[in-house]
Amino acid sequence: MIGINAENRLKVAENLNRILADEYLLYTQTRKAHWNVEGADFYLKHKLFEDQYEIIDDIIDEIAERIRSIGHYVPASLREFLELTHLSELNRKPNDSDGFIQNLLEYHESIILKLREQIKPFAEQYHDLGSSDFITGVLEKHEKMAWMLRASLSHK
């Protein structure tokens, strides 16, 4: 079909489905922070979270299109995403700007580690250089968003 055998395309799609689920959970948690943040720094944090959920929304669409481009269907229900994600919806930090940022930073860092683990297998084991390159780009976006969150934490 595209120079990658069916078994390898399936393995890549399965991994991309899990990445997509992680992204979707991160998206909803970022929206939650955007909607619920309060405090003297409200506007700046409200805008930061909005900027980030827009980036994540684009990532979600790109991942879904990548899955389709290698010949597979995309999970698209909350139930499927919750079954596929390695992240938890439970927040362990307070509902203030620093708490939201700490939660989101943990999600980004966890996704970064998962993405980094897939770069070599996509290229070397599954012979899919396109998906390997693609998730490298996604990883770089998460590194930048994590940096923005880290730099936004209050140092009281």
Side-chain angles (χ1 to χ4, degrees):
M1 178 177 163
I2 58 173
I4 305 166
N5 72 42
E7 183 180 336
N8 285 346
R9 283 186 287 114
L10 175 61
K11 292 293 186 186
V12 170
E14 289 170 347
N15 284 301
L16 288 173
N17 285 340
R18 285 189 285 279
I19 293 167
L20 177 65
D22 291 345
E23 298 289 349
Y24 207 86
L25 191 130
L26 174 60
Y27 173 82
T28 60
Q29 292 301 306
T30 306
R31 277 283 195 171
K32 176 183 177 180
H34 171 76
W35 289 328
N36 292 302
V37 69
E38 295 178 321
D41 60 351
F42 163 78
Y43 182 77
L44 293 174
K45 296 307 191 280
H46 183 76
K47 182 70 176 126
L48 171 68
F49 299 142
E50 180 178 4
D51 291 345
Q52 290 206 349
Y53 76 65
E54 288 175 349
I55 293 167
I56 298 163
D57 184 52
D58 288 342
I59 291 170
I60 289 168
D61 191 54
E62 292 168 0
I63 293 170
E65 290 176 354
R66 181 72 196 164
I67 293 166
R68 292 297 296 135
S69 75
I70 61 171
H72 290 274
Y73 291 102
V74 178
S77 74
L78 296 177
R79 178 173 295 140
E80 288 173 297
F81 290 143
L82 287 173
E83 289 171 2
L84 290 167
T85 187
H86 80 279
L87 301 173
S88 169
E89 285 188 296
L90 301 176
N91 293 324
R92 294 171 298 282
K93 308 289 187 237
N95 275 348
D96 59 19
S97 61
D98 279 0
F100 285 127
I101 288 172
Q102 289 168 355
N103 273 320
L104 295 175
L105 183 56
E106 287 175 13
Y107 291 137
H108 282 281
E109 289 173 344
S110 182
I111 288 172
I112 287 166
L113 293 174
K114 290 288 186 182
L115 290 169
R116 199 175 306 283
E117 290 172 0
Q118 294 301 318
I119 293 170
K120 278 183 106 171
F122 278 14
E124 295 174 6
Q125 186 176 347
Y126 305 127
H127 309 289
D128 185 351
L129 296 173
S131 291
S132 180
D133 182 61
F134 169 73
I135 65 167
T136 299
V138 171
L139 170 103
E140 291 168 352
K141 290 175 185 177
H142 280 288
E143 287 174 335
K144 185 171 183 179
M145 287 187 283
W147 164 56
M148 295 288 179
L149 292 170
R150 218 175 284 110
S152 298
L153 280 172
S154 302
H155 299 287
K156 299 173 185 174

